[in-house]
Amino acid sequence: MNLSVTLRSYSRARVCRNKATVSVYRRLSDAPEEPQSVKTRRTPVNATVLLFPGQGSQYVGMGRGLLKYGNVKEMFSVAQKVLGYDLLSLCLNGPEKDLMKTVHCQPAVFVCSLAAVERLNHENPAAIESCVSAAGFSVGEFAALVFSGAMNFAEALFAVKVRAEVMQKASDQVSSGMLSVIGRPQAQYKYACVQAREHCISLGIQDPVCSIANYLFPDGRVIAGHKEALDFLQERSRELNFTRTRLLPVSGAFHTALMEAAVEPLRDVLRKIEVRRPEISVHSNVDGKRYMHDKHIRNQLTKQLVSPVKWEQTLHEIYQRAQGQEFPHTYEVGPGRHLGSMLQKCNMKAFKNYTHVDVALAED
């Protein structure tokens, strides 16, 4: 992969040690890594967690007022070289129909979320210095990994570009989608998917796909698959004990077997970029567990395409603690407050220490 020095400029993590402070702030530079040392253990009250949103959180106006922070201007400049179009203009001005496309919104959310990190570093540098854990929803994992020092900004953005393109291509092969579902406690989501697949077979659809794509919070799921399967679920929502269903504005059935065609192209690009062990804990969507090494990251990121996002399980992993132990402060860095809403439903005690760092400032 022929990425120039300029495109590789968001370099490996600079882990700055200052007595008891461990800074994991990532800078745009080609400076070599500083020598590593043992991290100082932090009490939960002094620790922070960063959560990075995924596709669906984007909106026209992202990035407004953020160019004054840190490396944001250079990040968008690098993005224009990697992507081949003016991402900043698309984020600020739309048109919305173009920003909503998978090939555009995934890079947009990725860059804007890291721009929010720059804003947070300016407004509250201690929040960055004290970060001990991070997680990202779907494409948000790439931003979390860049923040952790596991990936270079430009190379990760190139991987996101390829990922978005192959996911869009896979989506174009079959009429499919994603259905947000909130159910009663007695709802049986997997059995509902079985019924939907049987309905598709009765319509003559071979090898129909309908499965849980996202575990969001208790009784909150996203089910994805063939359009006919999702229609079946909506029509029979009452008898399936679903209290609310809503089709998501996405192009396909992400995180299901219908994305199989996207796996090998993403695996190929991940082989070509440098991946390192994260400097902080980063949790995988596949099982909620911490990434351990570079091979683990590559394997899980490709598996994630065809596996459900286990976000509820990830939150349990991050916030598990002994009775009476205080919770860290959580920052959602990026567009929207979706992850905060899910945290509130999964763990109200952790949510009490939640702050959203948006990617647009109010007009002066």
Side-chain angles (χ1 to χ4, degrees):
M1 182 172 57
N2 296 319
L3 288 177
S4 69
V5 173
T6 300
L7 303 191
R8 297 171 63 91
S9 61
Y10 205 92
S11 68
R12 65 178 63 225
R14 297 184 63 187
V15 185
C16 304
R17 311 280 192 245
N18 181 12
K19 296 182 180 179
T21 301
V22 182
S23 174
V24 289
Y25 178 44
R26 321 300 171 215
R27 297 191 181 279
L28 281 152
S29 75
D30 289 310
E33 276 188 305
E34 297 180 18
Q36 296 188 11
S37 61
V38 178
K39 290 186 178 182
T40 303
R41 292 180 63 86
R42 297 183 179 280
T43 58
V45 70
N46 293 325
T48 61
V49 172
L50 264 60
L51 301 180
F52 293 82
Q55 182 172 347
S57 60
Q58 70 278 355
Y59 60 88
V60 174
M62 293 192 306
R64 186 177 64 243
L66 297 189
L67 293 185
K68 63 184 178 183
Y69 295 120
N71 302 295
V72 174
K73 186 174 182 179
E74 186 176 352
M75 288 164 62
F76 276 106
S77 176
V78 171
Q80 184 165 358
K81 294 181 174 69
V82 173
L83 301 173
Y85 59 87
D86 190 343
L87 181 68
L88 178 60
S89 177
L90 181 61
C91 289
L92 291 175
N93 308 311
E96 185 178 27
K97 65 179 179 63
D98 288 341
L99 182 62
M100 294 296 290
K101 293 178 180 177
T102 295
V103 292
H104 295 143
C105 70
Q106 289 192 19
V109 170
F110 169 85
V111 175
C112 285
S113 294
L114 289 169
V117 172
E118 298 284 326
R119 176 184 177 183
L120 178 60
N121 182 71
H122 175 84
E123 296 177 346
N124 184 6
I128 300 297
E129 295 167 359
S130 302
C131 184
V132 296
S133 186
F137 194 100
S138 192
V139 71
E141 269 198 4
F142 286 84
L145 287 164
V146 170
F147 173 74
S148 76
M151 287 183 175
N152 162 291
F153 171 83
E155 290 188 337
L157 177 57
F158 183 77
V160 168
K161 174 180 181 290
V162 172
R163 179 185 189 269
E165 290 171 349
V166 295
M167 289 175 71
Q168 181 66 63
K169 186 176 180 181
S171 299
D172 292 341
Q173 303 303 309
V174 61
S175 179
S176 60
M178 305 184 78
L179 183 71
S180 175
V181 175
I182 296 178
R184 296 185 178 89
Q186 62 267 40
Q188 298 182 350
Y189 304 97
K190 290 185 178 180
Y191 181 58
C193 292
V194 170
Q195 292 178 278
R197 289 195 297 270
E198 290 175 348
H199 170 72
C200 289
I201 292 173
S202 73
L203 298 178
I205 298 173
Q206 295 184 347
D207 300 319
V209 171
C210 183
S211 60
I212 298 173
N214 303 159
Y215 291 83
L216 303 178
F217 50 84
D219 297 319
R221 304 285 188 273
V222 172
I223 296 175
H226 280 81
K227 181 180 181 300
E228 294 84 353
L230 303 186
D231 291 342
F232 172 88
L233 295 177
Q234 284 191 292
E235 291 167 3
R236 289 162 176 77
S237 62
R238 179 172 296 181
E239 62 190 79
L240 293 171
N241 290 306
F242 296 163
T243 59
R244 193 185 78 183
T245 62
R246 179 175 63 90
L247 283 171
L248 300 182
V250 296
S251 60
F254 304 148
H255 305 292
T256 72
L258 290 177
M259 291 293 108
E260 187 63 43
V263 170
E264 195 54 42
L266 180 60
R267 180 181 288 121
D268 184 58
V269 74
L270 289 174
R271 288 194 194 105
K272 296 176 181 177
I273 69 175
E274 185 177 5
V275 179
R276 300 169 294 277
R277 182 183 176 126
E279 290 289 337
I280 58 173
S281 297
V282 179
H283 293 258
S284 168
N285 285 179
V286 174
D287 55 14
K289 304 296 185 182
R290 291 173 51 189
Y291 281 119
M292 303 308 296
H293 48 74
D294 60 331
K295 185 177 180 181
H296 188 206
I297 293 171
R298 290 186 174 96
N299 288 341
Q300 295 292 78
L301 286 179
T302 51
K303 189 176 181 181
Q304 185 219 71
L305 290 177
V306 292
S307 302
V309 173
K310 294 185 176 178
W311 190 252
E312 180 182 353
Q313 295 87 332
T314 297
L315 294 180
H316 289 320
E317 285 283 336
I318 293 174
Y319 297 102
Q320 184 178 14
R321 57 222 331 104
Q323 183 74 22
Q325 189 177 9
E326 294 191 57
F327 286 88
H329 201 112
T330 297
Y331 295 88
E332 180 173 358
V333 281
R337 298 173 181 262
H338 301 87
L339 303 186
S341 177
M342 288 186 272
L343 177 60
Q344 184 176 21
K345 292 179 173 67
C346 289
N347 193 323
M348 178 58 78
K349 290 182 178 179
F351 178 73
K352 289 179 180 179
N353 293 330
Y354 164 87
T355 300
H356 177 229
V357 183
D358 204 354
V359 293
L361 299 179
E363 298 286 359
D364 294 332

